[in-house]
Amino acid sequence: MPFQKTETYTLKEATRKLEGYCAYQERCHKEVVQKLKDMGMIPQAIDEIVYHLIQQNYLNEERFARSYARGKFNTKKWGRNRIVSELRQRQISRFNIDTALKEIDDTAYMETLDSLSKKRLAQIKETHTQKRRKKLADYLLYRGWESHLVYGKLKELIP
């Protein structure tokens, strides 16, 4: 097996690299720490770089959470449950998750659920009423829409 050369970084090089990584796209602390570990940085250097990124405003959990919630709702049409679940996996605090959810307008949320439900229902070829309901419910629940909203929408669209 040939010898693999692993790249090593000085503190300055790693800091510059991570500044670019964070400037390109919002990142959470967990992603940044993992990136530094993958680069082979020692815990002390990781702490120092993360501190620097926070001080220089490259890294901001609240900003990340807000941006993430907005993006996933607007582009992927995710419901609040899925967004909360994904933010929890990234170890975002409850406070920041609550702040992020405020980015989603209630009116837009309900309009999105309505249009998403109608669009999906038109795609379901199943003729049996109960199976149609189940397919639509599974689709919406998987995307993180709250069950009471999903079942209310089912009653409305498939009486």
Side-chain angles (χ1 to χ4, degrees):
M1 200 159 112
F3 174 74
Q4 274 190 316
K5 182 184 179 290
T6 54
E7 204 170 343
T8 57
Y9 299 90
T10 66
L11 193 62
K12 216 173 207 172
E13 289 170 341
T15 303
R16 273 208 189 80
K17 192 170 174 75
L18 267 289
E19 283 175 352
Y21 181 68
C22 292
Y24 174 73
Q25 174 184 318
E26 286 295 338
R27 308 284 181 183
C28 66
H29 289 43
K30 186 178 178 187
E31 290 171 328
V32 169
V33 169
Q34 189 56 54
K35 177 84 169 167
L36 288 164
K37 284 180 181 174
D38 293 346
M39 289 168 65
M41 302 304 287
I42 61 170
Q44 189 179 358
I46 291 173
D47 291 344
E48 209 169 303
I49 292 169
V50 168
Y51 176 75
H52 168 80
L53 294 172
I54 293 168
Q55 290 301 105
Q56 299 301 313
N57 208 20
Y58 283 101
L59 197 55
N60 181 323
E61 292 262 271
E62 182 185 341
R63 194 175 60 209
F64 168 80
R66 285 171 167 256
S67 166
Y68 188 89
R70 258 193 327 270
K72 296 302 179 186
F73 172 68
N74 291 332
T75 57
K76 293 199 171 190
K77 310 290 183 234
W78 282 2
R80 289 188 177 107
N81 290 348
R82 177 84 183 262
I83 293 169
V84 168
S85 170
E86 295 288 331
L87 287 172
R88 275 195 192 129
Q89 283 182 356
R90 288 168 174 74
Q91 298 166 353
I92 305 297
S93 71
R94 184 74 231 175
F95 176 80
N96 283 336
I97 291 173
D98 291 340
T99 305
L101 292 178
K102 289 177 188 154
E103 290 290 305
I104 302 170
D105 176 59
D106 288 334
T107 310
Y109 193 72
M110 295 312 290
E111 286 170 3
T112 301
L113 174 61
D114 189 54
S115 65
L116 193 62
S117 302
K118 288 175 180 170
K119 183 180 174 188
R120 183 62 183 167
L121 190 58
Q123 295 170 342
I124 298 173
K125 301 294 179 220
E126 184 61 59
T127 53
H128 191 270
T129 307
Q130 276 312 108
K131 288 182 180 175
R132 279 174 71 85
R133 274 192 160 150
K134 181 170 176 13
K135 285 188 176 195
L136 181 57
D138 289 348
Y139 175 82
L140 294 171
L141 292 170
Y142 175 75
R143 282 181 171 56
W145 293 87
E146 295 88 324
S147 56
H148 69 279
L149 295 176
V150 169
Y151 294 118
K153 191 52 71 180
L154 286 177
K155 283 180 188 156
E156 180 190 316
L157 296 176
I158 312 171

